[in-house]
Amino acid sequence: MSITRRNARRSVRVLGVASASAALALGVAGQALACNISEFSAEAQCDGNKGVIVVTDKDGSGTPATITVFSKNAAGVEKQVGEPQDVKGSAEGTTVTFQEDWKPNATYRVHVKASDKVDADVKPDLVTPSTACKKEESQTPTPPATPTPKPSASTSTPTPSASESSSAPATTPSNAPSPAAGDGNLAETGANSNTGLIAGVAGALVVAGGGAVYFGMRRRGANSGR
């Protein structure tokens, strides 16, 4: 069967549609595998009680990229956070972490540079949560109890104070001889107080009697001589 001009035109049209479809499919597939800024994301997280910024690269082509993070104040002045970090993306996502103790409601700009394919910022800018990372409660250590010193065996008797010394009666050593053991009964009966008097009276009577006898004998002798 001969090919007519009409059939030839139809065949060319079919081939053109198929080629266009194939080119479109290849273009879409190429774009899907190419590195794109939309495959990068950033998030402010907490690592314990410290803040960090985590950037995730979900570039399935695995194109190496360099991530740089900048903090922005209210006046728009920027300050670089740490050093730029390299990342090689994957379909599952590859992350890099920037140590940054961020404040609530702070703004950060994340820039991505991947060879000649990407040189752009992650949009929108990263805004941190309104609540900061929880700080650990500071615990003031309780000072150890001071041990009570135990009294030493050789502890001397404390010296009385001046007031105590003045109030205590002074003891004066006595040089008087202690009473004899036999004086105890006399003291109890009261005889010790009259003994001297009785002895004195008795002696006086003896002397007086002796004198009377002497003078009486002398007078008798004188009368007998007459």
Side-chain angles (χ1 to χ4, degrees):
M1 183 177 67
S2 62
I3 300 176
T4 62
R5 185 178 296 178
R6 183 178 179 181
N7 291 335
R9 286 199 299 269
R10 182 178 296 176
S11 298
V12 171
R13 189 181 299 118
V14 171
L15 289 174
V17 173
S19 299
S21 300
L24 180 61
L26 290 174
V28 172
Q31 291 179 359
L33 293 176
C35 183
N36 193 294
I37 188 62
S38 62
E39 296 168 335
F40 293 84
S41 61
E43 183 181 6
Q45 299 179 3
C46 292
D47 182 9
N49 61 343
K50 294 182 179 180
V52 294
I53 294 178
V54 180
V55 180
T56 304
D57 180 6
K58 290 187 176 182
D59 173 25
S61 66
T63 303
T66 301
I67 312 297
T68 309
V69 178
F70 301 88
S71 63
K72 297 172 64 175
N73 61 16
V77 179
E78 296 185 346
K79 180 181 179 181
Q80 182 173 320
V81 176
E83 296 295 330
Q85 296 192 41
D86 296 330
V87 61
K88 186 175 182 180
S90 63
E92 295 79 12
T94 304
T95 61
V96 288
T97 301
F98 292 82
Q99 301 294 330
E100 173 68 357
D101 194 12
W102 46 263
K103 301 295 187 294
N105 301 318
T107 302
Y108 291 87
R109 179 172 68 89
V110 180
H111 185 77
V112 179
K113 180 70 171 67
S115 64
D116 58 348
K117 296 180 180 180
V118 177
D119 190 1
D121 297 335
V122 175
K123 295 297 183 181
D125 287 342
L126 171 63
V127 178
T128 61
S130 58
T131 303
C133 296
K134 183 178 180 181
K135 302 295 183 181
E136 293 182 355
E137 297 181 359
S138 59
Q139 298 181 353
T140 305
T142 303
T146 304
T148 304
K150 296 181 178 180
S152 174
S154 61
T155 302
S156 60
T157 304
T159 304
S161 60
S163 60
E164 294 176 351
S165 300
S166 60
S167 61
T171 303
T172 303
S174 175
N175 295 325
S178 58
D183 293 343
N185 296 331
L186 295 177
E188 294 176 359
T189 58
N192 59 341
S193 60
N194 299 325
T195 302
L197 179 59
I198 295 173
V201 173
L205 293 176
V206 171
V207 172
V213 171
Y214 174 76
F215 284 111
M217 291 181 65
R218 186 176 179 182
R219 182 178 298 177
R220 184 180 299 176
N223 294 328
S224 62
R226 290 179 184 176

